[in-house]
Amino acid sequence: MTISLHRGMMAFTLLLIAGLQVLNAEATRPCVSPLYAEYGQIAATFVCSLPSSYYGIYWYKSPARNERSVVSIIDGVVMSGDDKFGISPTGSLIVRNITFEDEHLYRLIILRTRQQSETHDLRLTVYAYPGNPVPLIDVCGGQDFCFAERDRVSMLSCKIEGARPPVLLHWERQGEGPDAERVETSHSTNFTDPLYSTFSHTNGSLVNGTRRLDLLTCVSTVHVPSSEHHQSSVLLENVHDSQCYQLTGNHERRHYLIGSDVALDCSHDSPQFVVWKKQTYEGKFEPIAFRAGGDLEEVGEGLEISANGSLIIKSYGITHEGEYICINANLSSEGCLLHSTKALVLPPAHQVPTIAECEKKMDCILTRPSSGVLSCYVEGVRPVLLLEWEQVNSTKPSITFSHHQYTTDNRGDRVFDVRLTASYELTGGPDAGPVIVACVIKSPVMTGQQTTATIVINSPAHAERSSDMSCNDTPASSTIAWAIAAVTSATSLILSLILVGLYTVQGTQCLRQTGGD
């Protein structure tokens, strides 16, 4: 009985020692395992710290019994049976031209002496890095940040294709605090030998439908060869029952000068989420710029979003005309603001109307009958400006206008030529003195600019005193007649003094022609 117990204790002790030797071998594994190698890599080498002195080193393609070594060193002599494998001077295994068939366990046997050996099983993992490590969201069309309307999205999906091992995916949503919160998702993995495609799905219509704007992010995690995270995001707008679009038409239209930089306000705060939309010809609002936080931003050409959410339009042009809406939100508040814009092109030459027959002068004299037609115009303007004829500096109207006729010509470069023609009648009759009239711009975008003209009546009583005065008229009589007529206003007085000089010179020339002194 004592002998049997003694033998049992010895057997247990030997078994324990053997187990400890195995554990010790694993704890002191001489090579890094697993070894990661990328598909197509020229060569991969197990990083090993082998004993400085040994009798032999054997490397095998698998731990299977009866497996022949692929490369070895015995008593300092290298022996290799396959060009696929090599061995470093320190005894580390080299695997050349990495393929997925190279992914398996390799066995290393170290002979410290002819009688003492240790065995280690090491793994080589072959990975394929996805061509695009950033998840692709189905509604984003290949972009890593996009905008979508929640009402049009029933299910959101993201994917990573062409990876090995499969990539991990999950969805996150910006929570009430600084950290994101995970969203309930479903996953699927497709294996197309030898690569994997991973898909992640979430119900976009059920993700906090009470918010006007919400940010959802698909996050990918790659653990091989090291841990990496990539993400793409979609900014969702809850359009259903939104009152923002009911503001259309209830706002003031503003005009901006062509070529100027325009800033459209969005919020008094610095919103976390901003979406700018522009109305199309069909009446639908489409996104042109949007931002989420300080890192994610997508803007159209010639546009910027300022820190407070304002839309900056660089070099405003006719193509920028239209209705804009800004939708903004923070975690605790949200709002929207509508803008209506039109381009403004001022008259290129004088920014004032031109009176026909005045040759683009600011002030001129027209010799006309007591009734007739007057015409003025502006060229190359946008929008169409309103013109109006009126009498200048008179407490008692002495001229009436009627039969106003507007003519608008589109020049083809999206600017207009505008002409106003009106009938006039001097209420003072044929003996009325000169009347000063003006063609005035009355449009809200540009008002007050005017060009004046002094109308001198060309009646039978004044025919010989017209602007076509002959040499038979005496300068003195002409001067007196014009001076009397010109006292109706200060402006007419200045013009009359100019005419006095002209008639005096003309009279002097006539005297010389007749031989006078």
Side-chain angles (χ1 to χ4, degrees), residues 103-120:
E103 181 176 279
H104 48 74
L105 284 175
Y106 292 79
R107 172 157 288 185
L108 167 63
I109 297 179
I110 303 174
L111 296 178
R112 292 183 177 270
T113 65
R114 289 178 179 270
Q115 292 78 29
Q116 184 183 10
S117 67
E118 59 184 72
T119 301
H120 304 276

Side-chain angles (χ1 to χ4, degrees), residues 255-463:
H255 291 78
Y256 299 97
L257 192 62
I258 288 286
S260 62
D261 291 346
V262 173
L264 303 181
D265 296 334
C266 181
S267 171
H268 297 296
D269 302 322
S270 296
Q272 183 180 16
F273 305 136
V274 177
V275 176
W276 277 98
K277 292 184 173 183
K278 186 175 184 292
Q279 193 175 37
T280 64
Y281 290 110
E282 293 78 17
K284 185 181 181 305
F285 281 91
E286 294 289 351
I288 58 172
F290 43 92
R291 185 177 68 196
D295 300 327
L296 301 175
E297 182 174 292
E298 185 71 26
V299 295
E301 184 177 359
L303 303 176
E304 295 179 4
I305 299 179
S306 67
N308 63 0
S310 297
L311 180 67
I312 309 300
I313 304 176
K314 294 292 186 179
S315 187
Y316 187 90
I318 294 174
T319 57
H320 295 120
E321 285 186 339
E323 308 265 345
Y324 293 81
I325 190 168
C326 171
I327 305 162
N328 60 85
N330 287 317
L331 295 179
S332 58
S333 63
E334 55 188 22
C336 50
L337 188 62
L338 194 67
H339 293 268
S340 180
T341 73
K342 293 287 285 184
L344 175 61
V345 182
L346 299 178
H350 298 288
Q351 298 188 12
V352 293
T354 297
I355 297 177
E357 304 178 23
C358 280
E359 299 179 354
K360 295 188 177 182
K361 295 178 180 178
M362 292 289 293
D363 203 349
C364 68
I365 297 175
L366 299 176
T367 302
R368 293 291 187 88
S370 58
S371 62
V373 175
L374 289 174
S375 181
C376 64
Y377 59 89
V378 287
E379 295 177 321
V381 296
R382 185 179 181 92
V384 175
L385 300 179
L386 179 64
L387 301 176
E388 186 175 306
W389 282 105
E390 61 182 33
Q391 187 175 351
V392 179
N393 297 331
S394 175
T395 57
K396 182 179 179 181
S398 56
I399 188 172
T400 59
F401 297 96
S402 61
H403 301 94
H404 299 81
Q405 181 179 356
Y406 284 94
T407 303
T408 303
D409 295 326
N410 190 334
R411 301 202 320 190
D413 49 359
R414 298 190 180 184
V415 294
F416 302 92
D417 296 339
V418 182
R419 179 178 291 271
L420 169 62
T421 301
S423 299
Y424 73 91
E425 184 173 358
L426 296 172
T427 57
D431 295 327
V435 176
I436 301 177
V437 296
C439 180
V440 186
I441 296 177
K442 290 293 186 178
S443 295
V445 297
M446 179 182 176
T447 185
Q449 287 86 344
Q450 65 182 32
T451 300
T452 60
T454 301
I455 300 179
V456 178
I457 298 179
N458 185 16
S459 64
H462 300 88

